[in-house]
Amino acid sequence: MRYSALAILKNALRGNRDWRPAWRMPDPKPHYDVIIVGGGGHGLATAYYLAKEFGIRNVAVIEKGYLGSGNVGRNTTIIRSNYLLPGNNPFYEFSLKLWEGLEQDFNFNAMVSQRGVLNLYHSDAQRDAYTRRGNAMRLHGVDAELLDRAAVREMVPFLDYENARFPVMGGLLQRRGGTVRHDGVAWGYGRGADSLGVDIIQHCEVTGIRRENGRVTGVDTTRGFIGCSKLGLAAAGNSSRVAEMAGLKLPIESHVLQAFVSEGLKPFIDGVVTYGAGHFYISQSDKGGLVFGGDIDGYNSYAQRGNLATVEHVAEAGKAMIPALSRIRVLRSWGGIMDMSMDGSPIIDRTDLDNLYLNAGWCYGGFKATPASGYCFAHLLAHNAPHPTATAFRLDRFARGLMIDERGAGAQPNLH
């Protein structure tokens, strides 16, 4: 069933009795051509593009919880492609272009809102760094505008422009950036994959990976053994634990990243604003709540909750940028488990096992990368070769000394 204004009208006249579930609840088959571990945005997008673009439809997505219960539903919904380095810039621009046509592609309202992403700078050195980044973006055909203080003040007059330590001097703006409804992304990709014949198996936890003669033969789960010809891992913060079942030790760590939402307010912030003097970012949801976050908690954890020290840190950074935030109430917070790589950039590659493939190490960039990650991972699974925009995300780049350190913080996961 395709969603449309006509479908809504027809069902309204019939008492809404003819709506069907958005996806099936199938029992696992004994064997699949491809099994994808992880029913988040990346896993669902991979399955969708495998079926739609590469014609591989005997596919299962295995999720230990319910669809969208992991990081895809635990983030601040920001999309952008304002990256500096050659490995990241074309990949995230490819993702942003997929976002721009996504709702028409899978016939679902994911609430893609290109309201703009503004990164503030507070010193001459930061201005020069953003000038370099903006030039790199423009050279790759990506939109970027360097704004002075007057232009920023016209856009967001409520910032603390005269802060003695960190005065707002300007910002780098990408107008095509913005936000997307995270649940809508999971539901849209899930519904699209299911309509193409993919089995989405929820509440099915992988407990082991069977191997024979250097190949994976299938996975042991809480619903029994399921065989496969190829196995793709897209388990986000749990990537290390799942890969360990296949005897792999990954160069990533798992950290908690908290996010927050306030009470509903009248329209306040049109776009996304990030603080250059501290890791803080904020936007306003369509329901009126301010959605914001900051740094990871800084210790290894698989718990989807954080500590109060980071709550305080985020609040301080937010109020330093927008003093009026001291008057709002925070309604709730949540935590996602970030799979932090050694250089802050992702891994999309084959492993030493012949038919085992890895999608991991997304750090802060996982949500915005969802369409390109799924497309490139599907390309890898279908052709055993990387997609042209993902050739830099090889697993062995750490051994070869070809890291993609976008932040320039060094080879330590908790710094990225």
Side-chain angles (χ1 to χ4, degrees), residues 232-246:
L233 305 183
N238 289 297
S239 295
S240 295
R241 294 200 289 192
V242 177
E244 191 176 13
M245 298 175 188

Side-chain angles (χ1 to χ4, degrees), residues 144-162:
E145 301 172 45
L146 192 70
L147 307 182
D148 61 13
R149 177 184 290 190
V152 172
R153 190 189 291 271
E154 185 176 352
M155 290 184 63
V156 279
F158 44 79
L159 304 181
D160 186 357
Y161 289 89
E162 308 303 331

Side-chain angles (χ1 to χ4, degrees), residues 23-35:
W23 51 83
R24 298 166 293 121
M25 301 288 285
D27 292 324
K29 300 176 186 175
H31 189 276
Y32 291 92
D33 293 335
V34 179
I35 288 178

Side-chain angles (χ1 to χ4, degrees), residues 9 29 41 56 76 108 133 145 147 193 199 210 245 256 266 279-280 294 318 320 341 366 369 380 383:
L9 177 61
K29 300 176 186 175
I56 302 174
T76 50
F108 196 88
R133 186 195 292 191
E145 301 172 45
L147 307 182
D199 284 354
R210 295 191 190 181
M245 298 175 188
V256 182
K266 292 181 179 180
H279 200 177
F280 178 83
S341 68
L380 179 66
H383 296 302

Side-chain angles (χ1 to χ4, degrees), residues 15 88 95 115 130 150 177 196:
N88 285 330
S95 194
R115 56 186 68 185
Y130 280 168
L196 294 170

Side-chain angles (χ1 to χ4, degrees), residues 64-75:
K64 70 175 182 178
Y66 57 87
L67 190 150
S69 59
N71 285 359
V72 71
R74 293 172 171 268
N75 59 76

Side-chain angles (χ1 to χ4, degrees), residues 100-168:
E100 290 172 327
L102 187 65
E103 294 167 312
Q104 291 74 26
D105 185 36
F106 61 29
N107 183 231
F108 196 88
N109 182 16
M111 300 171 71
V112 177
S113 176
Q114 292 179 277
R115 56 186 68 185
V117 174
L118 176 65
N119 300 120
L120 302 177
Y121 63 79
H122 308 269
S123 67
D124 291 342
Q126 275 194 320
R127 179 202 60 214
D128 293 345
Y130 280 168
T131 300
R132 182 185 177 211
R133 186 195 292 191
N135 286 335
M137 292 166 62
R138 296 290 290 270
L139 287 170
H140 282 88
V142 183
D143 63 304
E145 301 172 45
L146 192 70
L147 307 182
D148 61 13
R149 177 184 290 190
V152 172
R153 190 189 291 271
E154 185 176 352
M155 290 184 63
V156 279
F158 44 79
L159 304 181
D160 186 357
Y161 289 89
E162 308 303 331
N163 186 297
R165 293 183 63 194
F166 307 114
V168 176

Side-chain angles (χ1 to χ4, degrees), residues 34-343:
V34 179
I35 288 178
I36 300 165
V37 179
H42 292 219
L44 293 169
T46 301
Y48 174 72
Y49 291 121
L50 269 174
K52 179 177 181 291
E53 300 293 337
F54 303 104
I56 302 174
R57 302 193 174 192
N58 185 24
V59 177
V61 176
I62 298 178
E63 168 57 42
K64 70 175 182 178
Y66 57 87
L67 190 150
S69 59
N71 285 359
V72 71
R74 293 172 171 268
N75 59 76
T76 50
T77 75
I78 299 169
I79 61 171
R80 57 185 176 87
S81 63
N82 54 352
Y83 281 79
L84 168 67
L85 299 181
N88 285 330
N89 188 298
F91 176 83
Y92 285 97
E93 175 62 9
F94 177 47
S95 194
L96 189 54
K97 288 178 178 177
L98 288 173
W99 281 119
E100 290 172 327
L102 187 65
E103 294 167 312
Q104 291 74 26
D105 185 36
F106 61 29
N107 183 231
F108 196 88
N109 182 16
M111 300 171 71
V112 177
S113 176
Q114 292 179 277
R115 56 186 68 185
V117 174
L118 176 65
N119 300 120
L120 302 177
Y121 63 79
H122 308 269
S123 67
D124 291 342
Q126 275 194 320
R127 179 202 60 214
D128 293 345
Y130 280 168
T131 300
R132 182 185 177 211
R133 186 195 292 191
N135 286 335
M137 292 166 62
R138 296 290 290 270
L139 287 170
H140 282 88
V142 183
D143 63 304
E145 301 172 45
L146 192 70
L147 307 182
D148 61 13
R149 177 184 290 190
V152 172
R153 190 189 291 271
E154 185 176 352
M155 290 184 63
V156 279
F158 44 79
L159 304 181
D160 186 357
Y161 289 89
E162 308 303 331
N163 186 297
R165 293 183 63 194
F166 307 114
V168 176
M169 298 177 63
L172 181 67
L173 174 65
Q174 184 181 29
R175 294 188 186 274
R176 289 170 54 242
T179 62
V180 182
R181 171 73 180 181
H182 42 33
D183 295 329
V185 174
W187 299 334
Y189 272 124
R191 176 176 174 273
D194 176 86
S195 68
L196 294 170
V198 173
D199 284 354
I200 299 173
I201 305 170
Q202 302 174 78
H203 304 290
C204 179
E205 184 172 0
V206 173
T207 58
I209 297 176
R210 295 191 190 181
R211 294 167 287 163
E212 186 176 317
N213 299 323
R215 291 178 58 85
V216 170
T217 59
V219 292
D220 291 304
T221 76
T222 51
R223 297 180 65 174
F225 174 76
I226 309 173
C228 65
S229 300
K230 293 183 178 180
L231 179 63
L233 305 183
N238 289 297
S239 295
S240 295
R241 294 200 289 192
V242 177
E244 191 176 13
M245 298 175 188
L248 301 180
K249 184 174 177 60
L250 302 181
I252 61 175
E253 293 182 356
S254 297
H255 289 262
V256 182
L257 178 64
Q258 296 188 68
F260 308 85
V261 66
S262 78
E263 60 188 328
L265 305 173
K266 292 181 179 180
F268 180 56
I269 299 178
D270 291 336
V272 180
V273 184
T274 76
Y275 192 32
H279 200 177
F280 178 83
Y281 36 90
I282 188 168
S283 63
Q284 188 167 16
S285 75
D286 292 323
K287 294 190 292 184
L290 300 181
V291 183
F292 52 93
D295 281 314
I296 56 177
D297 280 61
Y299 56 87
N300 302 137
S301 175
Y302 292 109
Q304 291 176 320
R305 61 184 182 276
N307 63 28
L308 291 176
T310 299
V311 175
E312 182 179 19
H313 163 73
V314 171
E316 287 176 344
K319 288 188 290 183
M321 186 175 85
I322 307 174
L325 293 185
S326 62
R327 302 182 62 184
I328 68 166
R329 296 178 176 87
V330 176
L331 293 187
R332 62 186 181 276
S333 66
W334 58 92
I337 311 304
M338 305 294 101
D339 43 332
M340 307 295 290
S341 68
M342 306 301 287
D343 63 354

